[in-house]
Amino acid sequence: MKRAFLLFFAFTVQAFGSGLAPYAQLIVGDSAGTPHNGVRVTYLGTNGYQFEFKGHALLVDPYFSRVDLVSVAVGSPIRPNIPRITEAMRHVGSKVDAILVTHGHFDHLLDVPVVMSRTHARLIASASSINLAKRSGVSSGDAVTAGDVRRVGPWRIRVLPATHDRLFGKVPFDRHEPRSPGPPQRPADWICGEPLAFLIEINGQRIYIDSGGTPAQLPPNEHVDLAILGTALPDSRTRLPAALQRLQPRYILPSHQDNFFLPLNAGFQFGLLTDFPRVRRDCAQENRGRLILLDYFRPWTLPRQQAAAVSSKSQAPNPN
């Protein structure tokens, strides 16, 4: 009962936040005349992203159903919202090579079986996430663990170790095996399993992505062009400065900050458990790259190194 109350309290707090308007100068996106010959990044909500290059697409954690707060807080049965998935899929490329999943929680994996059925993409995830997906109707998946490398189409994908943030001292739904046989029905059935991060190499550029974590597990000590770092909870915000020191990214994109209990058509709102002002201050103090934000479904082409050097001088972030 105490745990249920704490989860309900946390989710209730998460339901009230502000939008992107105060940070409009940090939002990037392609203009109508932007050439489509680079790597395009599209934010899909929660920790979901689409990367596109020369007609190929790669998805990470696509989640469009946005299950409502009450259903999650009280543990009601949940299922993919087909109309919301159909609407969001209008923004997904026609050739999706693979879907990467960072861990098995519902806000990362729930919609993946439906998205796979519509894209015929290859699923790359931990063994526990593959197991959940198969229980939900997926016929196959590529189970990976930290240290593995996959080449899919033009993408080179390195699988990296990760951890999950704690909520009130414990990782939510922190199990590696489901409690009961059969398909997952309730939020707690979508267990965390083994969290993963990914380093994606494409077009001579490198993109690191995770969904958060703790200071106990940092990203690799390697330079990247874009670092997408989950910053939803205190653990991941605490590790942010050290993560930036190791990755030395040209661009920093904080992720998993929106209120994922609201439908995407309600527009971006920060969850109250997030603390973007702190994230912004830490990024400015580290001075490791340009801090950016993406709005839902607005593509942005990752600049090449030479163009980025000019851009960073003229568009340096304001730490205030």
Side-chain angles (χ1 to χ4, degrees):
M1 181 63 70
K2 179 180 178 182
R3 177 171 172 76
F5 172 77
L6 290 175
L7 284 172
F8 182 79
F9 172 76
F11 291 143
T12 302
V13 170
Q14 178 81 1
F16 302 98
S18 61
L20 289 174
Y23 308 108
Q25 72 275 24
L26 299 179
I27 300 173
V28 296
D30 289 345
S31 61
T34 302
H36 292 174
N37 55 2
V39 180
R40 292 212 306 172
V41 184
T42 303
Y43 183 42
L44 307 177
T46 315
N47 197 56
Y49 292 88
Q50 174 175 247
F51 306 106
E52 296 174 278
F53 181 69
K54 292 186 176 180
H56 290 262
L58 187 70
L59 301 182
V60 178
D61 290 352
Y63 171 63
F64 308 124
S65 290
R66 314 283 281 209
V67 175
D68 67 274
L69 164 69
V70 174
S71 295
V72 175
V74 302
S76 298
I78 62 174
R79 64 185 64 182
N81 186 310
I82 300 304
R84 290 180 180 178
I85 295 174
T86 299
E87 175 63 21
M89 290 291 291
R90 297 191 304 106
H91 303 277
V92 172
S94 59
K95 181 173 176 50
V96 179
D97 296 308
I99 300 172
L100 312 182
V101 174
T102 58
H103 63 281
H105 284 160
F106 72 90
D107 54 318
H108 299 258
L109 188 58
L110 175 69
D111 291 349
V112 166
V114 178
V115 176
M116 287 182 66
S117 71
R118 299 188 180 191
T119 62
H120 307 291
R122 173 179 173 182
L123 174 60
I124 299 176
S126 69
S128 58
S129 291
I130 296 291
N131 182 28
L132 284 172
K134 287 183 175 180
R135 289 172 180 238
S136 301
V138 169
S139 60
S140 65
D142 185 358
V144 295
T145 190
D148 289 343
V149 176
R150 295 292 186 268
R151 294 181 180 273
V152 186
W155 317 94
R156 183 178 187 271
I157 303 159
R158 287 172 52 192
V159 184
L160 302 170
T163 52
H164 192 286
D165 299 65
R166 295 161 297 182
L167 182 63
F168 301 113
K170 183 175 175 58
V171 174
F173 313 138
D174 186 20
R175 299 175 61 89
H176 287 268
E177 296 292 338
R179 298 185 182 188
S180 58
Q185 300 288 338
R186 302 175 187 276
D189 296 333
W190 295 91
I191 56 176
C192 181
E194 178 190 3
L196 299 173
F198 301 97
L199 185 61
I200 301 162
E201 299 181 49
I202 182 73
N203 193 36
Q205 296 173 304
R206 293 147 61 87
I207 301 170
Y208 172 87
I209 181 166
D210 63 32
S211 65
T214 69
Q217 180 65 65
L218 295 174
N221 192 13
E222 301 180 34
H223 166 76
V224 300
D225 295 280
L226 173 63
I228 302 176
L229 296 158
T231 57
L233 293 170
D235 275 339
S236 52
R237 292 192 290 272
T238 299
R239 82 172 177 144
L240 179 61
L244 295 177
Q245 288 175 11
R246 293 177 68 85
L247 292 169
Q248 300 184 40
R250 292 196 293 119
Y251 291 89
I252 306 162
L253 177 55
S255 186
H256 213 324
Q257 300 182 105
D258 65 333
N259 177 3
F260 55 82
F261 299 111
L262 295 178
L264 287 161
N265 60 17
F268 184 104
Q269 291 188 36
F270 286 96
L272 200 60
L273 291 178
T274 63
D275 186 354
F276 184 67
R278 172 182 170 174
V279 168
R280 193 178 185 189
R281 289 193 301 269
D282 285 348
C283 290
Q285 290 171 1
E286 286 300 322
N287 194 27
R288 295 290 175 177
R290 179 183 171 189
L291 177 65
I292 61 171
L293 292 172
L294 294 180
D295 203 353
Y296 298 147
F297 303 129
R298 182 181 176 187
W300 169 70
T301 300
L302 176 61
R304 300 285 292 179
Q305 180 74 46
Q306 185 175 5
V310 176
S311 174
S312 62
K313 290 180 181 179
S314 61
Q315 302 183 52
N318 180 358
N320 298 322

